Amino acid sequence: MAGEKEIKEIYENGMKILEELTSNAHEIQEQMLEEILIRNAGTEYLSRFFVHGQNHKQNFKTNVPIVTYEDIKPYIDRIANGETSSILFADPITQFIQSTGTSEGKPKLIPMTAESFEKRMVKPLLVDLVMKKCISGLDQGKSFYLFFVKPDMETPSGLMASLYTTSYFKTQIFKNGLAKFCTSPIDTILCLDNKQSMYCQLLTGLLLRDEVVRIGSSFASVLARSIKFLEDYWKELCSNIRTGYLSDWIADPACRNAMSSILTGPEPELADLIQQICEDKSWEGIIKELWPEVKCISSIVTGSMSQYIPLLEFYGGGIPLVSPNCGSSEACFGINLKPLSKPFDVSYTILPNMAYFEFLPVNNDGGGMSREFELRGASATESSESTNETATVNKPVDLANVKIGRYYEVVVTTLAGLYRYRVGDILKVTGFYNKSPQFQFVERQNVVLSIDLDKTTEVDLSNAITKAKLVLEPLGIMLTTYSSYADTSLTPGRYVLFWELKMKGSNDLPKLDAKIMEECCGIVEESFDFTYKSLRKGGVISALELRVVKHGTFDELMDFYVSKGASISQYKPPCCLKSEEAVKLLNLGMVGTFFSPKTMF
Ligand code: AMP
């Protein structure tokens, strides 16, 4: 295992390692690609693209196609079903990582080898090191990280498919390394019942409040949810602290056992203090009051997570928000070398040893490469290869050739069998650290609704609504227009749909039967993907709400947008609203509101 020695090396020389990595980014990338190809050129997948005796690296970009998950799914399915030959990778695939992205309603399975899994574990160590270097006092206490796991899935071949974090929390490297500096006992993190896990982790965080120098979670949404949980449970938590007894409903034996060495007896003074803080009507700055030594809040707050920035700033009362890293199940992209930069200014620096990266130019709206950019991008980076304009369309560039200010989709070739794979995330290059590009994370443009890790696209929404409205048609009811928004004013948040309904043949408002409207909500939720359903089931997203508006309300919406400068001839009702004013306007036309049945998930 890359364990002890590598960890020691990183803690002793981490900053030097980072300097070397970023200074030699291009060479490291080239070397990595070469190694990957030498080892795997004989696999079933890659061998198709190379003629015998060809220089693999030279021909890689011309011969190997850029693919999406759907293209390689048949290969992945074969591995998941037990074929052991070198299908995608020469070394054995030891497990799968479940990504939050979905394919045919199921989580995507990303292959992983023992080596690639270990290599990735370097990233959290580097992140920790950079944070400690930039924020004084972080090494003088503990981190109150709220970490959770999800049950593993077993593939027919017996290989496990887990979330990356779940696998990582189970490793000795985590248990003997970062976990030692976390307040949460490992057994409370590994408890599969998220409610018991959350309760015990919060209780520990409160009991050890004076030692806590950092509070965080992987994604900001998790922290928002934890604060909501604290709002609901602080009285019970205080009572446990006051009496020294853990609530009976914490039934998980490992949690009870772990808590017995932390909740060791009554602490009435601490309970009074916490009660006094939590009883305050406003929870503005509550984190600072409950954990007075906290130096930063560490959670990803970029991309779709930026919706939680105001909330965390409100609760944090001035404590800096740090967005530490960026990556996906497929590969880690980069880390934030300036942890104290403001959330909207965060740039991540590519770690060139995590995968071989290519960058597919896109417009700044996330779409395909613009004509003007095709030509300019081509002449700037590919001129020696081709003068044929069409040959350069959507040609990816490598790490050394990205341009500051441009937008790219990330394409990775990994240490575990993905070759020129489109991750789907869009990045905007903001600069270079030494020779390594730095980028801002840009939300995928086709995502219209997002809460927590769910990303519902325009197509998902439209398909779901098409199915639901079938229920109305036999009743002579027509759905004329719809829109939606993600309501995160409360935690957990929910998706809200606005439907303008009328009777066929007249503009009359139909009689709204609550049961039927609830059925529509249910159909919409049912047709959303695996990620939505699991977050909904876990209580991370609340029941979908359907607001029916009276005839003419969407015309008023159009007037509103036209008054803001939209052109009537090109106007399309937005399928998702970002403006509070627009939501207010549609709310004014509301004639009924319905929710998915409680028992649905
Ligand atoms: P998963 O593959 O399930 O781990 O999900 C990874 C996805 O989370 C990425 O593809 C991104 O869409 C999103 N993500 C990861 N890191 C960040 C970040 N720093 N900012 C915004 N979104 C992120």
Side-chain angles (χ1 to χ4, degrees):
M1 190 104 197
E4 306 284 306
K5 211 169 132 233
E6 197 158 352
I7 293 180
K8 204 162 158 247
E9 168 75 7
I10 288 172
Y11 272 113
E12 280 169 7
N13 294 316
M15 295 317 288
K16 202 171 141 229
I17 295 174
L18 261 178
E19 285 299 312
E20 281 169 11
L21 281 175
T22 50
S23 301
N24 302 307
H26 193 205
E27 293 78 1
I28 292 171
Q29 285 277 281
E30 291 303 308
Q31 201 181 332
M32 174 174 256
L33 179 61
E34 181 141 17
E35 273 171 30
I36 292 175
L37 294 178
I38 288 175
R39 276 164 72 173
N40 301 297
T43 57
E44 180 185 327
Y45 181 80
L46 273 190
S47 61
R48 289 182 303 143
F49 303 118
F50 297 116
V51 177
H52 184 68
Q54 235 181 14
N55 180 321
H56 301 127
K57 199 171 138 214
Q58 257 172 26
N59 293 291
F60 176 71
K61 290 187 187 166
T62 42
N63 294 9
V64 179
I66 294 178
V67 294
T68 62
Y69 183 82
E70 300 308 322
D71 297 318
I72 55 160
K73 187 171 179 293
Y75 298 91
I76 290 182
D77 286 347
R78 282 169 53 200
I79 302 171
N81 287 328
E83 272 191 56
T84 52
S85 57
S86 302
I87 297 174
L88 283 171
F89 205 70
D91 292 349
I93 301 296
T94 48
Q95 68 176 105
F96 290 102
I97 298 297
Q98 279 184 47
S99 127
T100 43
T102 48
S103 167
E104 294 170 6
K106 296 196 185 121
K108 290 182 188 166
L109 297 182
I110 309 299
M112 186 63 71
T113 65
E115 184 193 3
S116 63
F117 189 77
E118 274 174 27
K119 279 227 158 109
R120 239 191 221 209
M121 287 194 279
V122 169
K123 185 209 68 185
L125 300 178
L126 288 175
V127 165
D128 194 50
L129 202 75
V130 172
M131 283 180 76
K132 283 184 174 149
K133 183 172 167 271
C134 299
I135 304 171
S136 63
L138 273 194
D139 47 1
Q140 263 129 53
K142 292 205 164 193
S143 298
F144 174 23
Y145 273 120
L146 289 134
F147 285 144
F148 300 93
V149 294
K150 241 186 87 180
D152 298 332
M153 239 168 58
E154 196 176 334
T155 62
S157 63
L159 288 178
M160 285 301 166
S162 330
L163 287 187
Y164 174 75
T165 42
T166 300
S167 284
Y168 171 61
F169 296 145
K170 290 180 185 169
T171 61
Q172 289 308 320
I173 295 213
F174 176 70
K175 288 181 189 168
N176 298 330
L178 291 182
K180 294 232 158 92
F181 304 97
C182 292
T183 49
S184 303
I186 187 75
D187 285 325
T188 62
I189 295 175
L190 296 182
C191 172
L192 283 172
D193 179 332
N194 289 166
K195 193 172 161 194
Q196 294 187 50
S197 167
M198 171 84 86
Y199 188 89
C200 293
Q201 294 194 55
L202 280 170
L203 185 54
T204 313
L206 291 171
L207 285 162
L208 304 180
R209 71 188 279 271
D210 292 331
E211 290 178 49
V212 174
V213 288
R214 165 167 48 181
I215 180 164
S217 60
S218 39
F219 287 100
S221 53
V222 178
L223 204 51
R225 212 184 320 148
S226 307
I227 296 168
K228 170 76 172 66
F229 192 94
L230 182 64
E231 267 174 355
D232 294 343
Y233 283 88
W234 66 264
K235 288 191 182 131
E236 188 175 336
L237 289 159
C238 282
S239 150
N240 284 190
I241 296 170
R242 183 166 288 110
T243 59
Y245 286 107
L246 183 63
S247 296
D248 288 338
W249 65 269
I250 304 297
D252 181 85
C255 277
R256 287 204 79 85
N257 185 37
M259 293 309 293
S260 67
S261 55
I262 291 167
L263 183 64
T264 48
E267 291 202 50
E269 278 169 23
L270 178 61
D272 284 347
L273 183 65
I274 295 169
Q275 178 173 346
Q276 199 191 341
I277 295 170
C278 293
E279 263 172 358
D280 203 324
K281 253 216 211 106
S282 166
W283 272 34
E284 187 166 2
I286 190 96
I287 294 181
K288 204 168 170 181
E289 294 204 32
L290 285 175
W291 294 281
E293 298 303 321
V294 162
K295 312 283 184 263
C296 71
I297 298 173
S298 167
S299 249
I300 289 176
V301 289
T302 47
S304 63
M305 292 296 146
S306 59
Q307 62 185 290
Y308 298 100
I309 293 172
L311 198 75
L312 294 185
E313 287 185 330
F314 175 83
Y315 290 129
I319 299 172
L321 273 185
V322 176
S323 195
N325 59 289
C326 181
S328 68
S329 303
E330 291 85 352
C332 159
F333 308 153
I335 65 175
N336 178 357
L337 295 182
K338 281 194 187 156
L340 287 173
S341 39
K342 296 260 170 282
F344 287 107
D345 297 333
V346 168
S347 277
Y348 303 98
T349 302
I350 297 264
L351 289 179
N353 59 341
M354 290 286 150
Y356 178 74
F357 294 100
E358 291 175 88
F359 300 86
L360 200 53
V362 292
N363 292 329
N364 60 6
D365 64 357
M369 187 161 72
S370 71
R371 188 81 191 137
E372 178 232 14
F373 182 49
E374 278 165 34
L375 298 176
R376 280 207 280 140
S379 59
T381 58
E382 309 280 358
S383 53
S384 60
E385 280 188 41
S386 174
T387 48
N388 175 351
E389 286 168 16
T390 52
T392 62
V393 171
N394 279 344
K395 207 165 188 180
V397 296
D398 58 21
L399 170 148
N401 288 313
V402 293
K403 296 275 169 273
I404 295 175
R406 302 283 199 224
Y407 292 74
Y408 300 92
E409 183 182 337
V410 203
V411 175
V412 291
T413 295
T414 69
L415 296 161
L418 302 180
Y419 305 99
R420 311 196 88 197
Y421 172 100
R422 291 171 71 164
V423 179
D425 289 325
I426 310 287
L427 315 177
K428 179 187 179 191
V429 175
T430 51
F432 285 85
Y433 181 79
N434 293 327
K435 295 281 171 52
S436 223
Q438 297 185 294
F439 63 87
Q440 281 181 344
F441 186 91
V442 182
E443 193 47 74
R444 296 175 206 186
Q445 295 301 304
N446 58 357
V447 172
V448 288
L449 291 170
S450 177
I451 289 180
D452 201 283
L453 288 180
D454 180 60
K455 294 176 194 292
T456 293
T457 65
E458 190 168 349
V459 175
D460 296 334
L461 184 63
S462 145
N463 287 345
I465 291 177
T466 305
K467 278 188 204 155
K469 73 178 184 187
L470 292 179
V471 176
L472 301 177
E473 281 175 10
L475 306 170
I477 301 174
M478 267 179 72
L479 169 63
T480 52
T481 328
Y482 70 84
S483 193
S484 64
Y485 82 108
D487 180 2
T488 50
S489 59
L490 293 175
T491 311
R494 62 160 46 96
Y495 295 154
V496 176
L497 305 182
F498 289 100
W499 282 12
E500 186 171 309
L501 299 177
K502 69 181 201 75
M503 294 308 292
K504 257 184 212 152
S506 82
N507 283 337
D508 292 350
L509 181 74
K511 214 171 145 269
L512 300 173
D513 179 326
K515 255 198 154 158
I516 290 179
M517 299 317 294
E518 283 168 15
E519 191 185 337
C520 290
C521 296
I523 295 171
V524 171
E525 287 204 300
E526 194 50 61
S527 71
F528 282 164
D529 71 12
F530 174 83
T531 304
Y532 178 88
K533 285 185 207 156
S534 47
L535 292 173
R536 175 79 165 82
K537 200 168 163 192
V540 178
I541 297 182
S542 291
L544 177 126
E545 181 181 353
L546 171 54
R547 296 180 191 164
V548 177
V549 297
K550 64 174 185 276
H551 180 68
T553 307
F554 273 82
D555 290 341
E556 287 170 31
L557 186 71
M558 179 173 86
D559 294 343
F560 166 77
Y561 280 114
V562 169
S563 75
K564 300 264 171 208
S567 125
I568 296 187
S569 57
Q570 288 173 329
Y571 177 80
K572 290 183 228 65
C575 68
C576 173
L577 304 172
K578 302 283 179 212
S579 133
E580 264 179 48
E581 271 176 288
V583 171
K584 268 191 203 149
L585 194 150
L586 289 189
N587 279 339
L588 286 177
M590 188 164 72
V591 287
T593 176
F594 307 92
F595 293 86
S596 261
K598 276 210 178 80
T599 51
M600 171 121 192
F601 288 98

